[in-house]
């Protein structure tokens, strides 16, 4: 039984020694360091905190030197050296808070010992912390707490409290000094709690800004994918139409030639078969895209043909029916364009008119189509609104969709404010 007790005691002792050793190593890593932790830069008053702290350090140095020389009966040079240590600690805390806190604490211990051995019964001295020493230690702890983890701040506060208790405990109670340990420890605790709260608030705001940025980026990315899916769905309809035409032409072509050779029949049959297979695959893709576009429990979107510029007049009339003045201007000789260009031009005009209806109430709208030899120029301009726009909850997909369509066709687009609070959208869509 005794051997078992010895073995158990030895195991418990090892555990305790391991824990104490771990705590000591953690304290050494946290507090025995000279790493740099500069103050976070400000935007418009970047150097104001530094200037205020330098001014405070100057006042601490003068006040502490005067008190140590007059009431502490220290030599003027020695008193100024100790006071300068407190001032330097405040300035050093702006870049290296942990070494600055060590310096302030060490200067306080040296000051307390130097003053205590020279105390006389007829003088009452604030001890072990002088008034200037308390201010210096408060600033050092505050600057430390603002930039280091909470654990390190708690360790620094614990060491400060322990040093204060040891000084007053060794000296004992006497009539030769006025104790400042209680008020100093109270103030130190308050400033550490305040600094921890401010640091936590700053970190929370930084995380909120980061999360807001990520959310905005994710929303933009999702919007871009939605617009690309919509464009792909519409263009798949156009491609499917062309594949249907190819299949029909390949089927009819042999009947247009008298006694067509077998090679021609085989080639046309192969063309028709490939076109039918491609058409089947396109229909499958279209079905997937339409089912993804529809919400849960909703039927898939209809298979109506995609609009072209032939429906531009209907689109303009619908806008006029909403009470808006719309002027159309067709320049150049109107001619058929590739289906992708027709569809993209129609959608650009549609989005621009919708934006004008939402954001420019009462404004006059001009739609201009310019048929160029190498493409189509689309321009939509709205004038100055006659009243404030209603609040909008949309995500602003219109311009993004326009740019995606223009980029897909290899064109160019600009969208910018126009004269007197108006807005102008210009796009060029090449037809090659």
């Amino acid at each position: 039984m005794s051997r078992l007790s010895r073995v158990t005691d030895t195991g418990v002792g090892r555990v305790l020694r391991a824990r104490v050793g771990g705590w000591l190593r953690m304290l050494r890593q946290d507090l025995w360091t000279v790493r740099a932790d500069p103050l976070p830069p400000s935007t418009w008053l970047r150097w104001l905190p530094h200037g205020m702290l330098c001014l405070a350090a100057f006042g601490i140095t003068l006040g502490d030197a005067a008190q140590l020389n007059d009431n502490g009966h220290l030599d003027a040079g020695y008193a100024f050296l100790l006071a300068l240590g407190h001032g330097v600690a405040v300035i050093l805390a702006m870049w290296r808070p942990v070494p600055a806190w060590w310096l302030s604490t060490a200067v306080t211990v040296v000051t307390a010992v130097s003053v205590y051995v020279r105390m006389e019964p007829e003088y009452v001295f604030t001890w072990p912390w002088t008034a200037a020493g308390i201010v210096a230690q408060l600033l050092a702890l505050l600057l430390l707490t603002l930039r280091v983890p909470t654990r390190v701040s708690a360790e620094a506060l614990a060491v400060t409290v322990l040093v204060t208790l040891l000084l007053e405990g060794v000296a004992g109670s006497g009539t030769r000094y006025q104790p400042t340990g209680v008020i100093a420890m109270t103030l130190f605790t308050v400033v550490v709690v305040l600094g921890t709260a401010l640091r936590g608030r700053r970190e929370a705001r930084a995380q909120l800004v980061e999360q807001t940025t990520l959310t905005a980026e994710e929303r933009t990315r999702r919007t871009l994918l939605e617009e690309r899916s919509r464009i792909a769905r519409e263009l798949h309809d156009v491609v499917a139409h062309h594949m249907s035409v190819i299949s029909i032409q390949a089927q009819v072509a042999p009947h247009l030639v008298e006694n067509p050779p077998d090679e021609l029949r085989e080639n046309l049959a192969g063309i028709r078969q490939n076109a039918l297979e491609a058409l089947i695959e396109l229909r499958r893709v279209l079905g997937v895209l339409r089912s993804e576009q529809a919400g849960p429990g909703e039927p898939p979107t209809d298979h109506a043909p995609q609009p072209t510029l032939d429906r531009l007049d209907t689109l303009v009339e619908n806008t006029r029916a909403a009470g808006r003045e719309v002027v159309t201007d067709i320049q150049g000789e109107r001619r058929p364009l590739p289906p992708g260009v027709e569809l993209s031009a129609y959608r650009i005009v549609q989005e621009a008119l919708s934006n004008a209806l939402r954001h420019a109430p009462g404004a006059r709208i001009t739609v201009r189509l310019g048929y160029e030899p190498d493409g189509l120029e689309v321009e939509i301009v709205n004038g100055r609104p006659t009243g404030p726009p209603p609040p909008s909850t949309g995500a602003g997909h219109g311009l993004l969709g326009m740019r995606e369509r223009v980029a897909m066709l290899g064109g160019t687009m600009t969208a910018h404010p126009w004269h007197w609070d108006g807005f102008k959208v210009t796009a060029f869509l090449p037809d090659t």
Side-chain angles (χ1 to χ4, degrees), residues 312-313 328-334 367-371 376:
L312 179 63
D313 294 337
T328 58
D329 181 17
I330 309 298
Q331 300 179 0
E333 183 179 355
R334 193 164 185 174
V367 178
R368 187 180 68 85
L369 298 181
Y371 286 84
L376 176 68

Side-chain angles (χ1 to χ4, degrees), residues 317-334:
E317 288 300 327
N318 291 336
T319 307
R320 289 171 180 166
R324 304 298 289 275
E325 180 184 0
V326 183
V327 178
T328 58
D329 181 17
I330 309 298
Q331 300 179 0
E333 183 179 355
R334 193 164 185 174

Side-chain angles (χ1 to χ4, degrees), residues 95-109:
W95 291 276
R96 300 184 183 274
V98 175
W101 166 77
W102 275 117
L103 176 60
S104 178
T105 304
V107 170
T108 297
V109 172

Side-chain angles (χ1 to χ4, degrees), residues 367-392:
V367 178
R368 187 180 68 85
L369 298 181
Y371 286 84
E372 305 291 341
D374 55 346
L376 176 68
E377 185 176 3
V378 183
E379 181 181 281
I380 304 95
V381 181
N382 64 264
R384 184 176 185 177
T386 58
S392 175

Side-chain angles (χ1 to χ4, degrees), residues 84-138:
L84 184 62
H86 275 142
V88 171
V90 173
I91 296 177
L92 181 62
M94 290 188 285
W95 291 276
R96 300 184 183 274
V98 175
W101 166 77
W102 275 117
L103 176 60
S104 178
T105 304
V107 170
T108 297
V109 172
V110 174
T111 301
V113 173
S114 301
V115 170
Y116 186 78
V117 298
R118 291 174 173 81
M119 284 184 181
E120 298 179 3
E122 61 271 16
Y123 292 100
V124 178
F125 190 81
T126 54
W127 193 88
W129 292 92
T130 63
I134 292 177
V135 175
Q137 190 76 355
L138 285 174

